[in-house]
Amino acid sequence: MTDRFRRTLGELGVHKGLVPPCRVDSLAVGPGAAIAQVRVTRQRCYEVRIGLPTFGKQVWTAVTAAVVEDEVTTAALLDGRVPDDIERFFAAEQVPLFPETRELSLDCTCPGTKVPCDHLVAGLIALVDETDGDPFAMFALRGRDRTTLLEEIGRQAGARITAPPTDAETPGLAEVMDDFFDWGPAGDITRPAKRQPPAGAALGLLGEVPPLAATVDGTSVTELLRPLYRALTGRE
């Protein structure tokens, strides 16, 4: 997957068979830069910085949304694997995932003027090896560390899975106009039909009310209301 990165380094005269007279003690990869400590002798060590532009929120939002739409890619990433064709999602946004020569910013604390110097060569080779072993390192260089990226993909994928299917949504007016008047007459909506409750319905409801503790002159309020309910419902 890192072939494009290796081609970029080849343009700088850096290739895997090249063995600079120094070794990389440590390599830290973060947003926009990889910092390496390169040792020349036991007492002498230089710091190498390999800079790379990060992508802004607009690019990462678009890439993440496109990835979530692809179930195979989403499953692979959430499983900790980066598909070989991951670059296509970035190409769709007209940005390269792997660095191009013009993007690289190379710096070293050594007193030499050659770019890349031996220490930068060592750092670049170490960075390629790092991205080979952990492809998520390239995402980190571009501004999204592994945890942040996978959490966002997982959140969006989860929301997409639990969302109701589109065919369960209420149809729009334009979709039902063709057969709207086939549903039968709507009736005279200006004169609503009067609904009469069944005789004795109110009296029946009174019987369902739990006995009231209140009394009037020793008579239950429920019993006092019963004649009134009979008069209202027309039942004697």
Side-chain angles (χ1 to χ4, degrees):
M1 190 181 68
T2 56
D3 288 347
R4 180 174 295 183
F5 195 3
R6 293 186 187 280
R7 287 197 297 270
T8 296
L9 297 190
E11 295 173 6
L12 296 171
V14 179
H15 53 85
K16 195 170 180 63
L18 192 61
V19 182
C22 49
R23 75 168 189 268
V24 175
D25 281 355
S26 64
L27 177 69
V29 178
I35 308 296
Q37 300 297 325
V38 181
R39 184 167 300 282
V40 180
T41 65
R42 181 177 299 180
Q43 292 80 22
R44 198 160 37 141
C45 188
Y46 297 116
E47 183 175 279
V48 163
R49 183 184 185 278
I50 304 166
L52 188 65
T54 59
F55 299 143
K57 183 176 182 178
Q58 184 176 356
V59 170
W60 277 113
T61 298
V63 168
T64 302
V67 165
V68 170
E69 289 296 322
D70 189 308
E71 295 181 1
V72 174
T73 302
T74 297
L77 289 171
L78 294 179
D79 193 41
R81 297 176 288 109
V82 178
D84 291 337
D85 64 346
I86 193 67
E87 291 179 83
R88 64 189 173 92
F89 296 100
F90 295 89
E93 298 304 313
Q94 300 182 344
V95 293
L97 173 59
F98 292 98
E100 298 179 351
T101 307
R102 59 181 175 79
E103 293 185 292
L104 289 171
S105 173
L106 306 176
D107 191 23
C108 180
T109 58
C110 73
T113 57
K114 181 182 177 182
V115 179
C117 60
D118 289 341
H119 322 112
L120 277 167
V121 169
L124 287 166
I125 293 174
L127 180 57
V128 172
D129 290 341
E130 177 72 13
T131 55
D132 266 342
D134 179 15
F136 285 94
M138 188 54 64
F139 298 144
L141 272 172
R142 290 299 194 178
R144 282 294 183 277
D145 62 81
R146 178 179 182 141
T147 300
T148 302
L149 178 62
L150 295 187
E151 283 182 352
E152 181 60 20
I153 290 175
R155 184 187 68 79
Q156 290 193 28
R160 183 168 177 266
I161 291 171
T162 57
T166 54
D167 57 4
E169 296 178 359
T170 303
L173 180 60
E175 299 175 39
V176 300
M177 281 304 294
D178 289 343
D179 61 349
F180 180 79
F181 293 101
D182 295 338
W183 294 355
D188 187 356
I189 61 174
T190 63
R191 300 178 63 185
K194 295 181 179 179
R195 295 183 58 190
Q196 296 290 344
L203 189 61
L205 288 174
L206 182 64
E208 296 177 10
V209 176
L212 301 176
T215 60
V216 177
D217 294 334
T219 303
S220 167
V221 172
T222 301
E223 293 303 318
L224 290 174
L225 288 173
R226 200 173 298 281
L228 176 61
Y229 271 62
R230 285 196 183 98
L232 290 173
T233 60
R235 296 187 62 181
E236 298 297 335

